[in-house]
Amino acid sequence: GFRSARRIGAIGVSEILKIGAVAARLKREGRPVIVLGAGEPDFDTPDHIKAAAEKAIRAGQTKYTTLDGTAELKAAISGKFLRENGLAYAADEITVGAGAKQVIHNAFMATLNPGDEVILAAPYWTSYADMVQIAEGVPVNVVCREENGFRLDAADLERAITPRTRWLLLNSPSNPTGSAYSQAQLQPILEVLKRHPHVWLIADDIYEHLIYDGLPFVTAAQIEPGLKNRTLTVNGVSKAYAMTGWRVGYAGGPKELIGAMAVVQSQSTTNPSSVSQAAAVEALTGPQDLLAERCAAFQRRRDLVVDALNAIDGVTCRRPEGAFYTFASCAGLIGRRTPEGTLIDSDSAFCRYLLEQHDVAVVPGSCFGLAPYFRISYAASEASLEEATGRIAKACEKLA
Ligand code: PLP
């Protein structure tokens, strides 16, 4: 019979996918379910980017490309890092993969030996832990408390470092909390890393352009140049340019690491799609005014959701600095019962109740490593966000 490899043994089907499956079934049954689980902007890819892809197809850019990114795209990425982050990366310090996800996967596959540890700041994007495990590493969770703005505490980080630690993975602005680090908040973490030269850093900056209230975005290699030679600065076009389906992500880092990552990619997917790479060149070098427009739209939605949630008895929600997620506490609801008598004993039970009785799909915080919370993705229209938060309020009122 079938036997799976040990390296995927610990990785189950995520609860997020199960919630999605239930939501899809309810929709098929005709229920007006609103799903606030998406990890992608609801906007379309801008027209000038689509046009660049069409042009590339007609110009015959339909063949294999250089393994880890075309010269044109690497130049565009190099320009982006310099322009937006003050970071100088040469072509051999840049890699391009099929999404930031493949880039991070490549980094782990290229560097982890069985048992090597990767420190994750919980709550975190669930894929991180699974990717570490597929690479036969060990995810080490450090919990970031709400009192600390869901940010990693430097002393907690230092306690988690062992001789087997290879990486710290930081994500700002964060999925699922929306928290972002200012320079002052990031500095103490970087000071810890400076004291532990065997620990490298992945900065997942994928939500860079979704940061609100005029807050400046900062990334580690920029504010601590001394760490640049052991930092992988990861980014991509998925979230900023509404290009999730094109599958282009990239990173800048030391050339030995970039070279090792290319080895992994060369024996898995080869190069990212030639057409998508041409589109990404246009995204990074073409007009950028859409970024601010879309960012403003997301900020309005954030405020709509946060204000609506904070008006609900039993729910509290920190106003996040970025990304398109809110991470609200439902601690005040734990111990209450539904009209049918079901005990709300966890965030999962609360989310199940919301979905099954009130047609709103959100994700429990426990999926990301911190309970009792729930994550709302506000990458949805203001009308559906108003309707959904109204349903959540009604659902909470019915709990006793
Ligand atoms: N990093 C984080 C924190 C994410 O939430 C996501 C997508 O959901 C990614 C990386 C991956 O983005 P992509 O592979 O589309 O570039």
Side-chain angles (χ1 to χ4, degrees):
F2 172 76
R3 281 190 302 141
S4 68
R6 251 196 322 271
R7 75 175 68 82
I8 68 159
I11 303 166
V13 174
S14 79
E15 193 172 342
I16 300 182
L17 294 183
K18 288 184 202 154
I19 293 167
V22 173
R25 175 173 57 75
L26 294 177
K27 269 188 175 171
R28 274 198 308 278
E29 292 169 8
R31 299 249 305 256
V33 178
I34 300 177
V35 180
L36 299 180
E40 60 186 353
D42 54 320
F43 299 114
D44 198 3
T45 303
D47 274 337
H48 67 98
I49 296 174
K50 291 183 181 175
E54 286 169 0
K55 197 169 150 217
I57 292 172
R58 281 192 303 270
Q61 292 180 31
T62 55
K63 306 288 172 66
Y64 292 129
T65 72
T66 323
L67 182 64
D68 61 356
T70 61
E72 295 76 21
L73 182 51
K74 286 193 175 195
I77 292 166
S78 183
K80 178 266 179 251
F81 276 131
L82 201 57
R83 179 178 79 237
E84 296 184 342
N85 310 110
L87 285 171
Y89 287 114
D92 60 359
E93 297 172 314
I94 290 171
T95 186
V96 186
K101 191 179 220 173
Q102 188 184 23
V103 170
I104 296 169
H105 174 76
N106 288 348
F108 289 150
M109 291 299 282
T111 57
L112 297 181
N113 287 315
D116 283 350
E117 295 169 0
V118 177
I119 296 178
L120 303 176
Y124 52 78
W125 184 39
T126 47
S127 289
Y128 290 155
D130 295 338
M131 284 193 277
V132 169
Q133 284 174 320
I134 282 188
E136 299 183 69
V138 178
V140 174
N141 290 1
V142 178
V143 170
C144 306
R145 294 172 302 276
E146 182 169 5
E147 304 84 82
N148 203 28
F150 297 119
R151 293 181 195 93
L152 181 62
D153 178 80
D156 291 345
L157 167 64
E158 191 140 41
R159 269 191 297 276
I161 292 174
T162 75
R164 304 265 356 221
T165 309
R166 290 298 308 273
W167 291 100
L168 164 67
L169 207 172
L170 269 191
N171 171 219
S172 171
S174 149
N175 175 8
T177 65
S179 287
Y181 292 78
S182 68
Q183 177 159 357
Q185 288 157 342
L186 193 52
Q187 199 66 51
I189 292 170
L190 304 183
E191 294 302 323
V192 171
L193 293 182
K194 277 160 71 182
R195 285 197 288 277
H196 300 272
H198 70 291
V199 181
W200 287 43
L201 173 68
I202 294 179
D204 180 349
D205 295 348
I206 194 87
Y207 294 101
E208 165 174 17
H209 287 292
L210 300 173
I211 190 161
Y212 310 124
D213 305 317
L215 232 82
F217 171 83
V218 292
T219 191
Q222 168 193 22
I223 65 173
E224 195 48 70
L227 288 177
K228 187 169 175 245
N229 64 359
R230 51 184 163 112
T231 296
L232 186 67
T233 305
V234 176
N235 213 316
V237 294
S238 286
K239 318 283 176 172
Y241 301 95
M243 291 177 68
T244 48
W246 298 78
R247 310 310 302 129
V248 176
Y250 56 85
K255 72 168 188 262
E256 296 76 14
L257 169 63
I258 295 296
M261 289 166 63
V263 171
V264 176
Q265 188 161 298
S266 72
Q267 302 310 343
S268 54
T269 57
T270 314
N271 59 275
S273 152
S274 57
V275 176
S276 294
Q277 290 190 72
V281 170
E282 176 61 22
L284 295 175
T285 59
Q288 303 290 309
D289 34 314
L290 231 73
L291 292 179
E293 249 168 66
R294 292 182 170 183
C295 188
F298 276 124
Q299 181 172 326
R300 279 195 304 278
R301 294 164 174 189
R302 174 200 65 172
D303 291 336
L304 183 164
V305 172
V306 170
D307 293 343
L309 291 175
N310 280 319
I312 300 173
D313 172 46
V315 173
T316 58
C317 185
R318 177 178 184 276
R319 196 173 303 268
E321 292 81 13
F324 39 66
Y325 309 101
T326 58
F327 201 69
S329 167
C330 53
L333 301 173
I334 304 298
R336 298 189 192 177
R337 283 183 189 275
T338 70
E340 292 74 30
T342 307
L343 179 66
I344 302 295
D345 58 358
S346 65
D347 51 13
S348 295
F350 175 60
C351 293
R352 212 160 33 236
Y353 164 66
L354 282 184
L355 178 55
E356 288 171 3
Q357 308 291 323
H358 295 275
D359 295 324
V360 182
V362 300
V363 184
S366 47
C367 287
F368 308 100
L370 192 65
Y373 291 89
F374 61 101
R375 187 194 76 172
I376 287 180
S377 163
Y378 55 86
S381 71
E382 289 188 30
S384 60
L385 292 172
E386 264 162 25
E387 172 65 24
T389 49
R391 289 182 193 174
I392 295 172
K394 201 138 120 235
C396 294
E397 269 166 37
K398 291 197 169 149
L399 296 175

